[in-house]
Amino acid sequence: MLPGALCGLDEPVPTTIRFVEVCVPLKTGPGSALFLFMTEDREHWDDYLQILSVIMKSVSADEASADEVPVDEVPADEVPEVPRGEGASRRP
């Protein structure tokens, strides 16, 4: 349920979401990094999972090595297309 106050209503509003949670243990000691993603946009869920998969593959507890490519240097054809809502701008 979405709190009604977010929509200017007194009562909660029913909603359906999809949610994924990934917990990555830290090598440096007790603890972990928690990655969460949720959306009401179920139509593009498969696209979002593909994007999250790319992000999670880039996560590592190891120090970066000299042969690794920084995220901002990944070739554009290897980056999944991000679904955009109507009127959203796209970066060049």
Side-chain angles (χ1 to χ4, degrees):
M1 299 292 270
L2 182 67
L6 294 174
C7 305
L9 304 171
D10 293 329
E11 298 296 319
V13 178
T15 185
T16 302
I17 64 167
R18 292 221 173 151
F19 174 90
V20 65
E21 177 178 296
V22 180
C23 185
V24 180
L26 300 176
K27 287 185 174 181
T28 57
S32 60
L34 185 61
F35 297 85
L36 302 155
F37 178 77
M38 69 176 68
T39 182
E40 290 181 312
D41 185 3
R42 295 180 298 150
E43 180 180 343
H44 296 107
W45 180 249
D46 290 341
D47 297 323
Y48 294 136
L49 284 181
Q50 189 176 31
I51 293 165
L52 184 61
S53 173
V54 171
I55 292 168
M56 294 312 303
K57 287 176 185 175
S58 73
V59 173
S60 173
D62 298 327
E63 291 291 324
S65 67
D67 62 338
E68 291 184 277
V69 178
V71 172
D72 61 346
E73 294 178 18
V74 173
D77 61 340
E78 293 181 22
V79 178
E81 180 69 23
V82 178
R84 305 276 183 183
E86 190 173 318
S89 63
R90 293 186 183 269
R91 61 178 196 175

